[in-house]
Amino acid sequence: MSRALLSHILHRPPLLASRSGVRGGAIPSRLHALRLNCTAAEATASTDDAPAPPARKKRVVSGVQPTGMVHLGNYLGAIKNWVALQDLYETFFFIVDLHAITLPYEAPQLSKATRSTAAIYLACGIDSSKASIFVQSHVRAHIELMWLLSSSTPIGWLNKMIQFKEKSRKGNENVGVALLTYPVLMASDILLYQSDLVPVGEDQIQHLELTREISERVNNLYGGRKWKKMGGRGGSLFKVPEALIPPAGARVMSLTDGLSKMSKSAPSDLSRINLLDPKDVIVNKIKRCKTDSLPGLEFDNPERPECKNLLSVYQIITGKTKEEVVSECQDMNWGTFKATLTDALIDHLQPIQDRYEEIMADPAYLDSVLVDGAGKASEIADTTLNNVYQAMGFLRR
């Protein structure tokens, strides 16, 4: 994890001045970015420099959709990092099944995929004694808060979201309203838990910036003295979350196009390594993945994106440094390197696959993990939701 421990980015002018142009790369300057290689001491929150009781751990939330198969990009870019985060932070990792219906899907497969994704979390090393693991739809507050936030979210903010523009072009008039409004649900997912930090990749930065702006808007509209006059404690209704940036190289690209991110929605299954792919499938996919005809292997040649991607995957899977990988692989030909990478992938994924099979064979255990996680999540979510209802003037029972 080679980036600096903590990078504070200077503030830019308020609200949407730059959102429509964000496509990844630099973090928008309104976001404070925290790198993943922080220590346990840096993962706690303290309000001042005076002696105080032990500060609580900062809170982190994240999730993965139960659509398609969880692949190497999901694992290296998110789930593998969560394993380290659960020792440093108070963590909530959920399966975002409500997000999975924004595009056409197979209803009979949704519950199966949700259970499978939860089992993969556990098989990859997420520990239910350290992290709360639950299904998004099992905590009803997610939907209720989304509706409340929607009343304060300008439609113009949502129209500028890049993913809506890109996906709506493909579906034309058949695109559902949920594709436009799901960023508000994402904001609800984060703000319900008074989250301090949110792990984000380059393609999610715009959504987190929107979440921050929604939280600030609702705080201004209903928080502070206005909330106190409604019988509340006053102050902010929501904590404004910051970005938690994954380590360099954790963005895994397609096996068929080194310039495109590995994706569940890509038409060809040859473009990705799924976590549950059997050995012979992994062998075939790596053997057929796109490479080039140049001699030697190198990380930093922009004309060789596939080379950089495959070397980066090998580096992360093996836990070696970039320098160690260069020393080992720079003089290899593609045939030799592909065999080396294939062996490393199989060795790394086999224990995950074995553990997954054990978990899926014990449905009572998996159910208990999800019920317990939803219970812990609901305690926090319901408090936040009730505060918002109160501040917005609803008559409560």
Side-chain angles (χ1 to χ4, degrees):
M1 298 181 183
S2 60
R3 298 187 182 183
L5 284 177
L6 182 63
S7 173
H8 284 290
I9 314 299
L10 297 177
H11 290 278
R12 66 160 169 82
L15 293 182
L16 292 161
S18 69
R19 182 190 298 125
S20 60
V22 175
R23 292 197 59 97
I27 307 302
S29 53
R30 295 191 72 244
L31 292 180
H32 287 180
L34 185 67
R35 307 300 175 182
L36 287 189
N37 52 338
C38 63
T39 65
E42 291 160 338
T44 57
S46 181
T47 57
D48 54 51
D49 294 330
R56 73 163 180 85
K57 287 184 175 181
K58 289 186 177 182
R59 188 172 291 155
V60 170
V61 299
S62 195
V64 168
Q65 287 192 35
T67 51
M69 296 292 290
V70 176
H71 56 66
L72 196 64
N74 302 134
Y75 172 61
L76 297 182
I79 300 172
K80 187 172 185 290
N81 294 324
W82 297 353
V83 177
L85 294 179
Q86 67 185 346
D87 292 320
L88 297 175
Y89 301 101
E90 182 185 8
T91 48
F92 292 80
F93 300 131
F94 49 104
I95 299 92
V96 290
D97 56 340
L98 294 170
H99 287 286
I101 66 172
T102 56
L103 293 172
Y105 71 102
E106 297 293 331
Q109 298 301 316
L110 181 59
S111 62
K112 295 178 183 178
T114 299
R115 294 181 65 84
S116 176
T117 304
I120 285 176
Y121 282 11
L122 294 165
C124 289
I126 304 300
D127 186 340
S128 60
S129 69
K130 299 177 180 178
S132 296
I133 304 169
F134 62 99
V135 178
Q136 181 189 29
S137 64
H138 293 180
V139 180
R140 299 295 180 89
H142 285 260
I143 289 296
E144 291 187 54
L145 182 60
M146 178 199 176
W147 182 250
L148 299 179
L149 296 179
S150 295
S151 71
S152 299
T153 303
I155 189 70
W157 290 10
L158 300 180
N159 284 333
K160 293 182 180 180
M161 300 302 288
I162 290 167
Q163 289 197 16
F164 169 71
K165 290 181 178 180
E166 292 177 345
K167 292 181 179 180
S168 62
R169 288 194 198 106
K170 302 175 184 177
N172 299 321
E173 71 277 358
N174 294 321
V175 170
V177 173
L179 187 61
L180 176 66
T181 59
Y182 85 89
V184 186
L185 177 58
M186 188 176 293
S188 172
D189 297 337
I190 296 167
L191 299 178
L192 266 178
Y193 300 101
Q194 304 297 338
S195 309
D196 296 286
L197 300 164
V198 183
V200 292
E202 293 176 357
D203 58 337
Q204 300 164 320
I205 289 169
Q206 191 188 35
H207 289 114
L208 181 58
E209 189 179 13
L210 177 67
T211 296
R212 288 167 55 86
E213 290 168 353
I214 291 173
S215 67
E216 290 168 350
R217 183 177 177 87
V218 174
N219 284 340
N220 290 332
L221 287 173
Y222 301 107
R225 293 180 180 178
K226 298 173 186 176
W227 181 19
K228 201 163 188 176
K229 288 180 180 179
M230 302 299 294
R233 60 172 170 80
S236 296
L237 286 160
F238 300 120
K239 185 169 289 186
V240 180
E242 297 179 0
L244 191 60
I245 308 302
R251 190 167 191 252
V252 180
M253 312 307 284
S254 167
L255 297 181
T256 56
D257 178 5
L259 296 176
S260 298
K261 187 177 178 181
M262 188 174 285
S263 171
K264 295 178 180 180
S265 60
S268 174
D269 193 54
L270 292 174
S271 68
R272 55 189 167 264
I273 298 291
N274 301 308
L275 256 61
L276 301 180
D277 278 345
K279 294 178 182 179
D280 60 326
V281 173
I282 295 174
V283 170
N284 183 54
K285 287 181 176 180
I286 296 300
K287 185 180 294 185
R288 297 179 63 181
C289 71
K290 183 180 179 181
T291 55
D292 55 47
S293 58
L294 297 176
L297 303 179
E298 54 188 333
F299 273 98
D300 299 321
N301 186 341
E303 301 299 319
R304 307 183 70 185
E306 288 80 19
C307 186
K308 177 183 178 180
N309 182 47
L310 295 176
L311 287 172
S312 296
V313 168
Y314 181 67
Q315 177 190 344
I316 300 170
I317 284 291
T318 60
K320 296 179 179 180
T321 66
K322 183 176 179 180
E323 292 72 23
E324 288 171 336
V325 172
V326 168
S327 176
E328 177 186 358
C329 303
Q330 61 183 343
D331 296 323
M332 285 184 180
N333 59 38
W334 277 117
T336 302
F337 176 70
K338 284 186 174 183
T340 301
L341 175 59
T342 299
D343 289 343
L345 283 168
I346 291 172
D347 289 346
H348 189 91
L349 295 180
Q350 190 62 54
I352 294 174
Q353 295 174 356
D354 292 344
R355 177 61 179 145
Y356 171 84
E357 294 299 332
E358 293 175 3
I359 294 166
M360 291 299 288
D362 190 353
Y365 165 70
L366 184 57
D367 289 342
S368 69
V369 168
L370 295 177
V371 169
D372 185 56
K376 293 176 182 177
S378 293
E379 291 179 10
I380 298 171
D382 289 345
T383 297
T384 297
L385 182 64
N386 288 330
N387 286 341
V388 176
Y389 272 127
Q390 181 185 50
M392 292 182 69
F394 285 85
L395 176 65
R396 305 303 290 152
R397 290 185 295 177

